[in-house]
Amino acid sequence: MATMALRAQKIPVHYFVYLGYCAIAVLSAVLSYYNNNGASQAYLAIRLILISSPIFFIYNINNFSSITITNIYKFLVIGSGVSVIIGLLLHYSGIQIQDSQQRLWLGDGLGSVARAGGLVGNSGDYGQISALFAILLLGAPLWKIKFSGKLNIVGAIITLLALFASSSRIAVVMITSALIIMVIFRPKIYGKMIFISIVFLILFYIFILAVSMDFNLIYFDQSASRLDIINITGESTFFESVRFENWVNLINSYGNVNLLGFGYKLFEDYHGYYVDNAFLLA
């Protein structure tokens, strides 16, 4: 009877989409054998699939309800928020997960300082989880989910601390892109929110100056100019990175390869330099 019931069920289209994604990742790894990197690339492809496996479990939830969506959303907020807080505690305790954790070069003979790396010791990853936490809090009204004002204020504070500590530019890109999309869907709500955010940033900067004994202002200023995407400070270094040029070259090069691309993390073998972008690398 159980077999007959399974046969009677209609398989949702998104199952095939996800399985297709997995198949492409594996096939890409198989093709990489031609570059004598088969074993390592296969492991990377399996890792890629496992990282995305939570999507598969969500697909198994039948009859999504507003309660289910709200619970999943809150779970994501809690999980990302805890990760951000732990990352801050590790950073300000001077604990580095990796021996060679990324550093922010201060210049002018001042040397460098360690950037917050979170639970995996990678400042880019930590910046992205911080951005995810901020986007979830910002996007709650779109899903008609309400969080307390205290949570939003605390969330804003720890997100800002995490962004400055990690000095992650991709996190700024993520938050900025999300805000643009949110403004399109809810201009009244997010127009006001952007104004409040600007005021909050000014107050945050004043707060940092007021407690200068507890913060490295040189590090703060360097991180601020690095994250200044619209050159508010007049000394922005946001786009002073070779990776932006590399990303453009990578996008333009896709027309020269087949549908499966170069193979997972094989761009460097073709072009001689590494492209630091997980989405484009896949």
Side-chain angles (χ1 to χ4, degrees), residues 6 15 63 71 77 114 122 140 176 189 201 213 222 226 281:
L6 287 174
Y15 275 87
N63 301 320
N71 289 337
V77 170
N122 185 292
T176 303
I189 294 178
L201 281 172
M213 294 298 293
Q222 191 76 7
R226 177 182 164 88
L281 277 173

Side-chain angles (χ1 to χ4, degrees), residues 27 32 41 59 75 77 79 94 96 105 109 128-129 131 135 143 149 156 162 169-171 196 228 260:
L27 185 56
S32 70
Q41 295 304 317
Y59 283 160
F75 178 77
V77 170
Q96 295 183 191
W105 181 252
Q128 290 179 56
I129 196 67
I135 292 169
W143 299 90
R169 285 180 284 201
I170 189 60
I196 294 173
D228 188 0
L260 297 174

Side-chain angles (χ1 to χ4, degrees), residues 163-164 167-169 172-173 176 201 220-240 244:
L163 289 179
F164 281 106
S167 190
S168 173
R169 285 180 284 201
V172 175
V173 172
T176 303
L201 281 172
F220 176 79
D221 290 342
Q222 191 76 7
S223 186
S225 62
R226 177 182 164 88
L227 300 177
D228 188 0
I229 191 172
I230 56 177
N231 198 24
I232 295 176
T233 62
E235 299 177 352
S236 173
T237 60
F238 187 88
F239 294 101
E240 293 181 10
F244 288 104

Side-chain angles (χ1 to χ4, degrees), residues 84 86-106 111-130 160-173 216 218-220 222-227 237-238 240-241 243-244 247 276:
V84 173
I86 292 175
L88 285 174
L89 293 175
L90 290 173
H91 179 67
Y92 289 111
S93 298
I95 300 173
Q96 295 183 191
I97 302 299
Q98 295 186 18
D99 295 333
S100 57
Q101 197 160 303
Q102 291 103 318
R103 305 184 70 82
L104 178 62
W105 181 252
L106 301 178
S112 60
V113 294
R115 296 165 59 187
L119 292 169
V120 296
N122 185 292
S123 57
D125 290 343
Y126 181 60
Q128 290 179 56
I129 196 67
S130 302
L160 285 173
L161 289 174
L163 289 179
F164 281 106
S166 66
S167 190
S168 173
R169 285 180 284 201
I170 189 60
V172 175
V173 172
N216 186 332
I218 297 175
Y219 174 38
F220 176 79
Q222 191 76 7
S223 186
S225 62
R226 177 182 164 88
L227 300 177
T237 60
F238 187 88
E240 293 181 10
S241 171
R243 70 179 59 182
F244 288 104
W247 291 352
D276 187 11

Side-chain angles (χ1 to χ4, degrees), residues 68-266:
T68 304
I69 294 174
T70 300
N71 289 337
I72 292 174
Y73 200 98
K74 290 182 177 179
F75 178 77
L76 291 173
V77 170
I78 294 171
S80 57
V82 169
S83 297
V84 173
I85 292 172
I86 292 175
L88 285 174
L89 293 175
L90 290 173
H91 179 67
Y92 289 111
S93 298
I95 300 173
Q96 295 183 191
I97 302 299
Q98 295 186 18
D99 295 333
S100 57
Q101 197 160 303
Q102 291 103 318
R103 305 184 70 82
L104 178 62
W105 181 252
L106 301 178
D108 297 327
L110 298 172
S112 60
V113 294
R115 296 165 59 187
L119 292 169
V120 296
N122 185 292
S123 57
D125 290 343
Y126 181 60
Q128 290 179 56
I129 196 67
S130 302
L132 173 63
F133 177 61
I135 292 169
L136 287 171
L137 289 179
L138 290 170
L142 291 176
W143 299 90
K144 297 181 179 179
I145 298 174
K146 294 183 179 180
F147 293 113
S148 68
K150 292 181 180 179
L151 175 61
N152 288 323
I153 293 174
V154 172
I157 292 173
I158 65 173
T159 297
L160 285 173
L161 289 174
L163 289 179
F164 281 106
S166 66
S167 190
S168 173
R169 285 180 284 201
I170 189 60
V172 175
V173 172
M174 289 173 62
I175 294 174
T176 303
S177 302
L179 272 175
I180 292 173
I181 295 173
M182 292 174 188
V183 168
I184 293 175
F185 283 98
R186 294 285 183 87
K188 292 183 179 180
I189 294 178
Y190 290 101
K192 294 179 180 178
M193 194 174 292
I194 290 175
F195 174 77
I196 294 173
S197 299
I198 293 173
V199 173
F200 185 83
L201 281 172
I202 295 173
L203 294 176
F204 179 78
Y205 185 73
I206 294 173
F207 170 76
I208 292 294
L209 294 177
V211 295
S212 58
M213 294 298 293
D214 299 323
F215 288 83
N216 186 332
L217 283 182
I218 297 175
Y219 174 38
F220 176 79
D221 290 342
Q222 191 76 7
S223 186
S225 62
R226 177 182 164 88
L227 300 177
D228 188 0
I229 191 172
I230 56 177
N231 198 24
I232 295 176
T233 62
E235 299 177 352
S236 173
T237 60
F238 187 88
F239 294 101
E240 293 181 10
S241 171
V242 68
R243 70 179 59 182
F244 288 104
E245 180 181 350
N246 289 346
W247 291 352
V248 172
N249 293 336
L250 176 60
I251 293 172
N252 292 335
S253 66
Y254 273 120
N256 301 324
V257 295
N258 58 32
L259 179 63
L260 297 174
F262 301 102
Y264 186 60
K265 288 195 173 182
L266 289 181

